[in-house]
Amino acid sequence: ALVRAARMKVLNSIVDTLLLDTNKIGHEYVGGFTRYVKKAVSLTHSVTSYDARELRERIVGRVVSIQPSHFATCIPRVGGERRAKCADLGDINPQNASPSFCLGCTNALITSGNIKGIWMTIQPFVKESLDENLMGFMVESHLLTLRSGYKRIRELHSTENSESVSKI
């Protein structure tokens, strides 16, 4: 019961933040879940606080679970399990999660706080790719992870984190 209450509190907080900061979606918040919230806001046109609360409850009501990692937070929704990159035979398998899946997934919530986690995850691949003695086919398997990691870091680039992102 305690875990379920904590999960709801975290989920409500995430959705409230996205509803209040919809103009920051695509800049400070990226990923498939943020696009879902932005689309729900644009289609709903909430006017009163009651409308906003009802929208939040509908969004949260569709969420199946929440699974954080250091490079993204997985927030799968009812009906979207098949579209998850880690899905196998229509069922979501968060134990199969990896940056190559999560950084481009429709269920991912990626914030500027995930930049360090993304970099920590892709850094070994970058080092391996820069090794001149390594055969090209050995690096090929890392390309998807490197591209999606670079894309997310570039999307989350802002004036506050400009120095650290430019180092990456």
Side-chain angles (χ1 to χ4, degrees):
L2 182 62
V3 173
R4 192 177 9 225
R7 176 185 165 270
M8 286 307 296
K9 193 169 223 144
V10 168
L11 200 50
N12 284 332
S13 175
I14 289 171
V15 173
D16 282 343
T17 300
L18 293 174
L19 289 175
L20 292 173
D21 293 338
T22 53
N23 57 334
K24 293 182 181 177
I25 291 177
H27 305 289
E28 291 183 29
Y29 313 106
V30 296
F33 187 74
T34 58
R35 288 189 301 273
Y36 167 72
V37 171
K38 188 172 186 173
K39 186 175 182 180
V41 168
S42 70
L43 293 174
T44 305
H45 303 295
S46 300
V47 178
T48 66
S49 60
Y50 176 77
D51 293 338
R53 188 168 12 114
E54 187 176 300
L55 176 60
R56 182 191 71 191
E57 289 172 5
R58 278 188 290 168
I59 292 171
V60 169
R62 290 200 57 212
V63 172
V64 175
S65 68
I66 182 168
Q67 182 73 35
S69 73
H70 53 278
F71 46 83
T73 302
C74 180
I75 308 175
R77 301 175 303 279
V78 171
E81 295 94 342
R82 291 185 316 245
R83 290 189 307 270
K85 300 268 181 161
C86 64
D88 188 25
L89 300 173
D91 293 326
I92 194 163
N93 292 306
Q95 68 274 9
N96 295 341
S98 70
S100 61
F101 287 157
C102 297
L103 294 176
C105 186
T106 187
N107 297 318
L109 168 66
I110 306 166
T111 67
S112 54
N114 292 113
I115 290 177
K116 185 176 181 180
I118 294 169
W119 176 241
M120 287 175 21
T121 305
I122 68 171
Q123 189 175 19
F125 302 141
V126 172
K127 287 180 180 178
E128 191 173 306
S129 299
L130 295 175
D131 185 355
E132 293 177 7
N133 299 323
L134 203 62
M135 304 299 280
F137 70 89
M138 297 174 86
V139 177
E140 190 175 348
S141 63
H142 304 317
L143 288 178
L144 179 62
T145 304
L146 290 171
R147 278 192 198 113
S148 58
Y150 177 70
K151 181 179 179 183
R152 296 300 172 227
I153 290 171
R154 194 180 59 222
E155 286 174 339
L156 294 168
H157 180 265
S158 68
T159 54
E160 292 87 32
N161 63 19
S162 183
E163 187 178 326
S164 59
V165 168
S166 63
K167 287 179 186 177
I168 294 173

